[in-house]
Amino acid sequence: MAASSDSDDGNFWRVDSGSEDAYWDAYEATRPNYADSSFCEHMYTYHTSKSSLPTASFAVSPSFGVAHDVGCGSGVASGEFARRFQHVIASDNNASSLDAARRRLTVTLPANKLSFLECRGEELVLYHPPQSADFIGAAECLPLMDAPIALSGFARLLKPGGTLAIWFYGRPHFSEPEYKASCQLLFDFIMDRSFAKVIKGGGPERKAAWKKAADGMASWLDYLDFSTGQWELVQRWKWNSKSAKMGFFGPEACDFNIEPTSSIGETDEVIEKEDSEMWKGTWNVQGVKNFVKVSFPNFKEKVEADSEIERCFGKLTEAMGGEDAVRSYTWPVVLILATRSRS
């Protein structure tokens, strides 16, 4: 299956202009809601308590002044950060996504609480003074970025003692033992076949971008290197890494090899948890279809036009116990927390 476009643009995550709100409404309905869990509190606790640790190179407690939401998409994380920080800067390299975030966030938040910037995450440091941020959050975007350049820029933006929080979650996994094996196999096939339509057949720049993303996801972000002397107190939290695969697609979707790598440092703390309650949700087969159709911009038509995918959805319906049957799922999640050192 070839990609739907012969474009060789490495920036392949774009929502068609004019359809942003409809797409993001459907997207958010199928994704974790950070505000409904303790996930962000986990980051905030790290942000406030680390200065008391004996290995910290600073003594001043970080503040809740300025936060960045890098690759903000529709602004879900921005809205959450705005509950705690005095000012939030939402940035994205796609104008249509940034416009959607602006429309959605300014409905409930005052204008002076937010700033919006169209730029690549690697270029944030060109638009803001060094040591001007207390916190930088980057959700679901690092595998799409030039990581060494991005991390170097983030280090320049953060105040000493400031926090960098990078997280990524992959496709959901059926969590009930009696349904997990059969349902997940079918779901993975559907996801791989869907993504193959946009991954396979692209030009060299696009293929390189997809491979970078695939390698990074398969690595559970272990490829990110914090041993440059700019970071300390690095924590790598992983939920369900033993029972689930990270990423939204696997090798069958690709026309290249997926090669995970690791740059875990000697002092990095790795914490792994198996938790079937992690962002636990329930869905029927229509819920699964909804998730697949918004897993990537402009997927809906491609998925609905594929008879093999429809056939597999029929088999998944049976495996789940019927059209109205409701099954539980959980998420594989990785969260990296790092502190800007004084060096």
Side-chain angles (χ1 to χ4, degrees), residues 5-285:
S5 170
D6 60 0
S7 169
D8 193 28
D9 186 355
N11 178 21
F12 45 72
W13 184 275
R14 283 198 181 98
V15 181
D16 286 344
S17 180
S19 64
E20 301 98 328
D21 287 328
Y23 173 77
W24 287 115
D25 282 344
Y27 177 94
E28 290 178 16
T30 67
R31 298 301 177 107
N33 185 342
Y34 307 136
D36 286 347
S37 73
S38 60
F39 186 73
C40 286
E41 289 300 324
H42 191 82
M43 294 186 278
Y44 302 150
T45 298
Y46 171 90
H47 183 62
T48 56
S49 64
K50 59 193 173 182
S51 61
S52 62
L53 297 176
T55 55
S57 66
F58 45 85
V60 178
S61 297
S63 73
F64 283 84
V66 175
H68 283 264
D69 179 11
V70 182
C72 67
S74 61
V76 174
S78 299
E80 169 58 33
F81 295 160
R83 295 175 55 246
R84 297 295 298 271
F85 290 87
Q86 295 174 17
H87 191 80
V88 177
I89 300 166
S91 60
D92 202 286
N93 64 333
N94 288 319
S96 62
S97 297
L98 198 66
D99 288 343
R102 182 183 290 106
R103 287 194 300 272
R104 300 161 86 84
L105 290 169
T106 54
V107 171
T108 57
L109 294 169
N112 63 358
K113 188 82 170 177
L114 300 161
S115 298
F116 299 90
L117 175 65
E118 182 185 349
C119 80
R120 298 170 64 237
E122 299 93 325
E123 299 171 347
L124 267 178
V125 70
L126 301 179
Y127 298 90
H128 299 281
Q131 299 187 17
S132 59
D134 299 290
F135 183 95
I136 296 176
E140 298 291 284
C141 62
L142 255 293
L144 305 176
M145 299 169 64
D146 186 318
I149 293 177
L151 292 179
S152 177
F154 296 162
R156 289 184 62 192
L157 277 178
L158 282 169
K159 300 173 184 176
T163 296
L164 174 62
I166 299 169
W167 70 95
F168 200 91
Y169 56 84
R171 60 192 180 275
H173 280 64
F174 287 86
S175 56
E176 295 164 286
E178 61 270 39
Y179 296 98
K180 184 173 183 176
S182 58
C183 292
Q184 195 65 39
L185 187 66
L186 292 163
F187 178 52
D188 288 349
F189 175 87
I190 291 168
M191 290 293 287
D192 283 350
R193 187 172 177 90
S194 299
F195 269 94
K197 296 176 182 295
V198 295
I199 295 175
K200 292 183 177 180
E205 184 177 344
R206 176 164 288 211
K207 179 181 286 190
W210 275 113
K211 177 170 171 51
K212 177 174 65 177
D215 291 348
M217 290 185 288
S219 302
W220 285 74
L221 304 191
D222 286 346
Y223 71 99
L224 295 176
D225 185 0
F226 294 90
S227 64
T228 59
Q230 298 171 305
W231 305 100
E232 59 185 75
L233 305 178
V234 178
Q235 295 182 355
R236 298 175 183 264
W237 292 81
K238 300 176 184 180
W239 286 269
N240 301 322
S241 60
K242 299 289 191 284
S243 59
K245 301 174 184 176
M246 181 57 76
F248 287 84
F249 55 85
E252 294 302 318
C254 307
D255 50 2
F256 50 77
N257 292 327
I258 298 178
E259 301 169 304
T261 58
S262 176
S263 295
I264 297 177
E266 291 183 2
T267 61
D268 292 3
E269 183 180 4
V270 180
I271 307 101
E272 296 182 279
K273 294 178 176 291
E274 289 298 309
D275 184 2
S276 61
E277 299 295 314
M278 183 62 185
W279 289 338
K280 181 179 179 179
T282 58
W283 54 10
N284 57 17
V285 73

